[in-house]
Amino acid sequence: MQQLEALTREAAALARGALPLPLAADEAEAARQMQICNACRYCEGFCAVFPAMTRRLDFGRADIHYLANLCHNCGACLNACQYAPPHEFAVAFPQALAKVRARTYQDYAWPAAFGALYRRAGLMTALALAGGLAMFLLLGVLLAGPTSSSPLAGNFYAVFPHNLLATLFGAVFAFALVALALGVRRFWRDVSPAVDLPVGQQPLLAAARGPAAAEAAHDVARLTYLGGGHGDGCNVEDDRFSLARRRFHHLTFYGFLLCFAATCVATLEHYLLHLEAPYPLASLPVVLGSLGGLGLLAGPAGLLWLNLRRAPLQADRAQRPMDVGFIALLLLASATGFAVLLLRDTGAMPPVLAVHLGVVMALFVTLPYGKFAHGIFRSAALLKHAIEKRLPSRLQLGSD
């Protein structure tokens, strides 16, 4: 009976396209290092990756991608590892998992044909896309005539009609959400605890979902595992502990949420309260947007500084263009947003607005195919970990 259940699970995995696919070179290298780490277990208390690893004796493709996305790349294990280069075992765990994460974003992208965009979503691609969209909108401003040279008292909709902006950005944002949701759904179907759950444990799974979701949300909101396993932060280039990476991530994350909240509040005021832009400087949309903009200036600037200084074995250098491209779009979106706010009562507002909207649209277009995706897949991995540790181990070893 157990053999029949195993064959059924394997057939279902094969039908999904998850397993048993042959491992790519990056995946095979990560699996090799996981076997070494699983035998050593020195780093078991550092983060969620190592306890999750000990629940496995071998590592299939789904396990490798799950553990890679559970990793926050704090660097603690690299600096503690006795088998790190120049040892012949050459264990550089953060780098190995970083390479697998890049493959995750490509392999689970939707539409699948767009997965190759991850390899091309670098700085030049981001700037070219933002510049092209900004030039297109600038052309519209120039064709509009007088609005490009006369003060408009901050009335953005005199430059671009509200319905036009709502349609353009609504469609792009909806596509980005759908693409991210379908991508992470495919990922979840492969790594979900229910995929190979033994018969009789379904009630345990159902009971675990609520508390696990709360724990995962807490870990996402606090970026718990950027504390390095001890709360002192990630290892920087000279092996010191620093909370800088966690703080810059928080500024970026909550800056983005505040800007999104500003847009939501402005939308509600427009449609429900019939209060149309421009809003006073002390209004809730402007205050939320300004605070979020400050976070999106300080956070990405700090992350860029840390990224350029990161130790080679702690990162995948091939992903740097993707990282820098996403950071550049965040910085440009925030900087041009403040420029629009400062110049909204001058004749320079229309062209500056066109540039800002072009950058924001480029940011939305690249969301599913750039570094933004790492937060979505990592959240799913944290949810799986929170569920899995509430279930009995499948290994049934003496220590369990």
Side-chain angles (χ1 to χ4, degrees), residues 252-272:
T252 304
F253 178 55
Y254 288 108
F256 188 89
L257 289 183
L258 284 171
C259 288
F260 183 71
T263 303
C264 293
V265 171
T267 301
L268 292 175
E269 290 191 357
H270 181 91
Y271 287 107
L272 296 183

PDB file of all heavy atoms in Angstrom, residues 252-272:
ATOM      1  N   THR A 252      12.867  50.009   2.636  1.00  0.00           N
ATOM      2  CA  THR A 252      12.368  49.760   1.284  1.00  0.00           C
ATOM      3  C   THR A 252      10.982  49.136   1.314  1.00  0.00           C
ATOM      4  O   THR A 252      10.061  49.575   0.609  1.00  0.00           O
ATOM      5  CB  THR A 252      13.337  48.837   0.529  1.00  0.00           C
ATOM      6  OG1 THR A 252      14.640  49.416   0.525  1.00  0.00           O
ATOM      7  CG2 THR A 252      12.881  48.610  -0.897  1.00  0.00           C
ATOM      8  N   PHE A 253      10.812  48.120   2.142  1.00  0.00           N
ATOM      9  CA  PHE A 253       9.550  47.390   2.211  1.00  0.00           C
ATOM     10  C   PHE A 253       8.411  48.290   2.673  1.00  0.00           C
ATOM     11  O   PHE A 253       7.357  48.383   2.021  1.00  0.00           O
ATOM     12  CB  PHE A 253       9.726  46.195   3.159  1.00  0.00           C
ATOM     13  CG  PHE A 253       8.490  45.368   3.368  1.00  0.00           C
ATOM     14  CD1 PHE A 253       7.813  44.820   2.302  1.00  0.00           C
ATOM     15  CD2 PHE A 253       8.013  45.115   4.649  1.00  0.00           C
ATOM     16  CE1 PHE A 253       6.673  44.036   2.494  1.00  0.00           C
ATOM     17  CE2 PHE A 253       6.879  44.337   4.855  1.00  0.00           C
ATOM     18  CZ  PHE A 253       6.205  43.801   3.776  1.00  0.00           C
ATOM     19  N   TYR A 254       8.626  48.986   3.780  1.00  0.00           N
ATOM     20  CA  TYR A 254       7.544  49.824   4.302  1.00  0.00           C
ATOM     21  C   TYR A 254       7.397  51.118   3.515  1.00  0.00           C
ATOM     22  O   TYR A 254       6.313  51.696   3.462  1.00  0.00           O
ATOM     23  CB  TYR A 254       7.767  50.075   5.795  1.00  0.00           C
ATOM     24  CG  TYR A 254       7.501  48.835   6.613  1.00  0.00           C
ATOM     25  CD1 TYR A 254       8.537  48.113   7.199  1.00  0.00           C
ATOM     26  CD2 TYR A 254       6.207  48.364   6.759  1.00  0.00           C
ATOM     27  CE1 TYR A 254       8.295  46.954   7.913  1.00  0.00           C
ATOM     28  CE2 TYR A 254       5.948  47.204   7.479  1.00  0.00           C
ATOM     29  CZ  TYR A 254       6.991  46.505   8.051  1.00  0.00           C
ATOM     30  OH  TYR A 254       6.734  45.345   8.744  1.00  0.00           O
ATOM     31  N   GLY A 255       8.467  51.575   2.871  1.00  0.00           N
ATOM     32  CA  GLY A 255       8.334  52.708   1.964  1.00  0.00           C
ATOM     33  C   GLY A 255       7.431  52.364   0.800  1.00  0.00           C
ATOM     34  O   GLY A 255       6.556  53.151   0.405  1.00  0.00           O
ATOM     35  N   PHE A 256       7.617  51.175   0.240  1.00  0.00           N
ATOM     36  CA  PHE A 256       6.755  50.713  -0.855  1.00  0.00           C
ATOM     37  C   PHE A 256       5.311  50.597  -0.387  1.00  0.00           C
ATOM     38  O   PHE A 256       4.375  51.021  -1.093  1.00  0.00           O
ATOM     39  CB  PHE A 256       7.267  49.367  -1.366  1.00  0.00           C
ATOM     40  CG  PHE A 256       6.590  48.885  -2.614  1.00  0.00           C
ATOM     41  CD1 PHE A 256       7.086  49.232  -3.861  1.00  0.00           C
ATOM     42  CD2 PHE A 256       5.465  48.078  -2.546  1.00  0.00           C
ATOM     43  CE1 PHE A 256       6.466  48.787  -5.027  1.00  0.00           C
ATOM     44  CE2 PHE A 256       4.832  47.631  -3.692  1.00  0.00           C
ATOM     45  CZ  PHE A 256       5.334  47.984  -4.939  1.00  0.00           C
ATOM     46  N   LEU A 257       5.096  50.030   0.805  1.00  0.00           N
ATOM     47  CA  LEU A 257       3.734  49.884   1.323  1.00  0.00           C
ATOM     48  C   LEU A 257       3.084  51.241   1.574  1.00  0.00           C
ATOM     49  O   LEU A 257       1.877  51.423   1.332  1.00  0.00           O
ATOM     50  CB  LEU A 257       3.749  49.062   2.606  1.00  0.00           C
ATOM     51  CG  LEU A 257       4.051  47.570   2.456  1.00  0.00           C
ATOM     52  CD1 LEU A 257       3.952  46.875   3.814  1.00  0.00           C
ATOM     53  CD2 LEU A 257       3.107  46.911   1.460  1.00  0.00           C
ATOM     54  N   LEU A 258       3.847  52.221   2.070  1.00  0.00           N
ATOM     55  CA  LEU A 258       3.286  53.552   2.309  1.00  0.00           C
ATOM     56  C   LEU A 258       2.890  54.232   0.998  1.00  0.00           C
ATOM     57  O   LEU A 258       1.842  54.890   0.926  1.00  0.00           O
ATOM     58  CB  LEU A 258       4.292  54.413   3.070  1.00  0.00           C
ATOM     59  CG  LEU A 258       4.432  54.116   4.563  1.00  0.00           C
ATOM     60  CD1 LEU A 258       5.625  54.880   5.146  1.00  0.00           C
ATOM     61  CD2 LEU A 258       3.156  54.499   5.314  1.00  0.00           C
ATOM     62  N   CYS A 259       3.716  54.072  -0.030  1.00  0.00           N
ATOM     63  CA  CYS A 259       3.357  54.638  -1.335  1.00  0.00           C
ATOM     64  C   CYS A 259       2.113  53.966  -1.892  1.00  0.00           C
ATOM     65  O   CYS A 259       1.236  54.635  -2.472  1.00  0.00           O
ATOM     66  CB  CYS A 259       4.517  54.487  -2.315  1.00  0.00           C
ATOM     67  SG  CYS A 259       5.904  55.585  -1.970  1.00  0.00           S
ATOM     68  N   PHE A 260       2.007  52.662  -1.713  1.00  0.00           N
ATOM     69  CA  PHE A 260       0.810  51.951  -2.158  1.00  0.00           C
ATOM     70  C   PHE A 260      -0.408  52.415  -1.365  1.00  0.00           C
ATOM     71  O   PHE A 260      -1.499  52.597  -1.932  1.00  0.00           O
ATOM     72  CB  PHE A 260       1.012  50.450  -1.996  1.00  0.00           C
ATOM     73  CG  PHE A 260      -0.136  49.629  -2.493  1.00  0.00           C
ATOM     74  CD1 PHE A 260      -0.388  49.511  -3.848  1.00  0.00           C
ATOM     75  CD2 PHE A 260      -0.967  48.953  -1.602  1.00  0.00           C
ATOM     76  CE1 PHE A 260      -1.446  48.750  -4.314  1.00  0.00           C
ATOM     77  CE2 PHE A 260      -2.024  48.190  -2.051  1.00  0.00           C
ATOM     78  CZ  PHE A 260      -2.271  48.086  -3.414  1.00  0.00           C
ATOM     79  N   ALA A 261      -0.223  52.630  -0.050  1.00  0.00           N
ATOM     80  CA  ALA A 261      -1.325  53.123   0.776  1.00  0.00           C
ATOM     81  C   ALA A 261      -1.756  54.515   0.335  1.00  0.00           C
ATOM     82  O   ALA A 261      -2.957  54.834   0.321  1.00  0.00           O
ATOM     83  CB  ALA A 261      -0.907  53.137   2.253  1.00  0.00           C
ATOM     84  N   ALA A 262      -0.795  55.366  -0.040  1.00  0.00           N
ATOM     85  CA  ALA A 262      -1.126  56.705  -0.520  1.00  0.00           C
ATOM     86  C   ALA A 262      -1.986  56.630  -1.776  1.00  0.00           C
ATOM     87  O   ALA A 262      -2.969  57.383  -1.925  1.00  0.00           O
ATOM     88  CB  ALA A 262       0.152  57.492  -0.803  1.00  0.00           C
ATOM     89  N   THR A 263      -1.651  55.717  -2.678  1.00  0.00           N
ATOM     90  CA  THR A 263      -2.441  55.544  -3.897  1.00  0.00           C
ATOM     91  C   THR A 263      -3.842  55.047  -3.578  1.00  0.00           C
ATOM     92  O   THR A 263      -4.832  55.516  -4.158  1.00  0.00           O
ATOM     93  CB  THR A 263      -1.735  54.549  -4.842  1.00  0.00           C
ATOM     94  OG1 THR A 263      -0.421  55.029  -5.134  1.00  0.00           O
ATOM     95  CG2 THR A 263      -2.510  54.380  -6.131  1.00  0.00           C
ATOM     96  N   CYS A 264      -3.938  54.103  -2.638  1.00  0.00           N
ATOM     97  CA  CYS A 264      -5.255  53.575  -2.255  1.00  0.00           C
ATOM     98  C   CYS A 264      -6.123  54.652  -1.615  1.00  0.00           C
ATOM     99  O   CYS A 264      -7.323  54.774  -1.922  1.00  0.00           O
ATOM    100  CB  CYS A 264      -5.085  52.399  -1.294  1.00  0.00           C
ATOM    101  SG  CYS A 264      -4.324  50.938  -2.045  1.00  0.00           S
ATOM    102  N   VAL A 265      -5.530  55.457  -0.721  1.00  0.00           N
ATOM    103  CA  VAL A 265      -6.292  56.533  -0.069  1.00  0.00           C
ATOM    104  C   VAL A 265      -6.757  57.561  -1.096  1.00  0.00           C
ATOM    105  O   VAL A 265      -7.907  58.014  -1.074  1.00  0.00           O
ATOM    106  CB  VAL A 265      -5.440  57.198   1.031  1.00  0.00           C
ATOM    107  CG1 VAL A 265      -6.129  58.459   1.552  1.00  0.00           C
ATOM    108  CG2 VAL A 265      -5.194  56.225   2.176  1.00  0.00           C
ATOM    109  N   ALA A 266      -5.873  57.932  -2.017  1.00  0.00           N
ATOM    110  CA  ALA A 266      -6.253  58.899  -3.056  1.00  0.00           C
ATOM    111  C   ALA A 266      -7.372  58.348  -3.930  1.00  0.00           C
ATOM    112  O   ALA A 266      -8.284  59.093  -4.333  1.00  0.00           O
ATOM    113  CB  ALA A 266      -5.031  59.239  -3.908  1.00  0.00           C
ATOM    114  N   THR A 267      -7.326  57.051  -4.219  1.00  0.00           N
ATOM    115  CA  THR A 267      -8.386  56.432  -5.019  1.00  0.00           C
ATOM    116  C   THR A 267      -9.718  56.476  -4.298  1.00  0.00           C
ATOM    117  O   THR A 267     -10.765  56.794  -4.895  1.00  0.00           O
ATOM    118  CB  THR A 267      -8.006  54.972  -5.347  1.00  0.00           C
ATOM    119  OG1 THR A 267      -6.771  54.960  -6.061  1.00  0.00           O
ATOM    120  CG2 THR A 267      -9.083  54.301  -6.181  1.00  0.00           C
ATOM    121  N   LEU A 268      -9.701  56.155  -2.994  1.00  0.00           N
ATOM    122  CA  LEU A 268     -10.940  56.211  -2.209  1.00  0.00           C
ATOM    123  C   LEU A 268     -11.484  57.635  -2.127  1.00  0.00           C
ATOM    124  O   LEU A 268     -12.705  57.857  -2.250  1.00  0.00           O
ATOM    125  CB  LEU A 268     -10.686  55.657  -0.802  1.00  0.00           C
ATOM    126  CG  LEU A 268     -10.386  54.154  -0.712  1.00  0.00           C
ATOM    127  CD1 LEU A 268     -10.028  53.777   0.722  1.00  0.00           C
ATOM    128  CD2 LEU A 268     -11.592  53.350  -1.185  1.00  0.00           C
ATOM    129  N   GLU A 269     -10.597  58.604  -1.922  1.00  0.00           N
ATOM    130  CA  GLU A 269     -11.054  60.000  -1.853  1.00  0.00           C
ATOM    131  C   GLU A 269     -11.624  60.459  -3.192  1.00  0.00           C
ATOM    132  O   GLU A 269     -12.599  61.218  -3.230  1.00  0.00           O
ATOM    133  CB  GLU A 269      -9.892  60.901  -1.430  1.00  0.00           C
ATOM    134  CG  GLU A 269      -9.464  60.709   0.010  1.00  0.00           C
ATOM    135  CD  GLU A 269      -8.494  61.775   0.482  1.00  0.00           C
ATOM    136  OE1 GLU A 269      -8.106  62.640  -0.343  1.00  0.00           O
ATOM    137  OE2 GLU A 269      -8.120  61.749   1.666  1.00  0.00           O
ATOM    138  N   HIS A 270     -11.042  59.976  -4.282  1.00  0.00           N
ATOM    139  CA  HIS A 270     -11.511  60.395  -5.609  1.00  0.00           C
ATOM    140  C   HIS A 270     -12.896  59.823  -5.913  1.00  0.00           C
ATOM    141  O   HIS A 270     -13.792  60.551  -6.364  1.00  0.00           O
ATOM    142  CB  HIS A 270     -10.517  59.941  -6.672  1.00  0.00           C
ATOM    143  CG  HIS A 270     -10.895  60.340  -8.061  1.00  0.00           C
ATOM    144  ND1 HIS A 270     -10.487  61.527  -8.630  1.00  0.00           N
ATOM    145  CD2 HIS A 270     -11.669  59.724  -9.008  1.00  0.00           C
ATOM    146  CE1 HIS A 270     -10.971  61.622  -9.854  1.00  0.00           C
ATOM    147  NE2 HIS A 270     -11.694  60.535 -10.104  1.00  0.00           N
ATOM    148  N   TYR A 271     -13.072  58.512  -5.657  1.00  0.00           N
ATOM    149  CA  TYR A 271     -14.302  57.856  -6.066  1.00  0.00           C
ATOM    150  C   TYR A 271     -15.413  57.909  -5.017  1.00  0.00           C
ATOM    151  O   TYR A 271     -16.597  57.976  -5.357  1.00  0.00           O
ATOM    152  CB  TYR A 271     -14.019  56.388  -6.425  1.00  0.00           C
ATOM    153  CG  TYR A 271     -13.277  56.236  -7.731  1.00  0.00           C
ATOM    154  CD1 TYR A 271     -11.929  55.878  -7.747  1.00  0.00           C
ATOM    155  CD2 TYR A 271     -13.912  56.442  -8.952  1.00  0.00           C
ATOM    156  CE1 TYR A 271     -11.237  55.733  -8.948  1.00  0.00           C
ATOM    157  CE2 TYR A 271     -13.232  56.299 -10.151  1.00  0.00           C
ATOM    158  CZ  TYR A 271     -11.902  55.949 -10.145  1.00  0.00           C
ATOM    159  OH  TYR A 271     -11.225  55.813 -11.339  1.00  0.00           O
ATOM    160  N   LEU A 272     -15.049  57.867  -3.734  1.00  0.00           N
ATOM    161  CA  LEU A 272     -16.065  57.841  -2.683  1.00  0.00           C
ATOM    162  C   LEU A 272     -16.398  59.228  -2.141  1.00  0.00           C
ATOM    163  O   LEU A 272     -17.576  59.538  -1.888  1.00  0.00           O
ATOM    164  CB  LEU A 272     -15.607  56.940  -1.535  1.00  0.00           C
ATOM    165  CG  LEU A 272     -15.442  55.448  -1.871  1.00  0.00           C
ATOM    166  CD1 LEU A 272     -15.047  54.672  -0.622  1.00  0.00           C
ATOM    167  CD2 LEU A 272     -16.719  54.871  -2.481  1.00  0.00           C
TER     168      LEU A 272
END
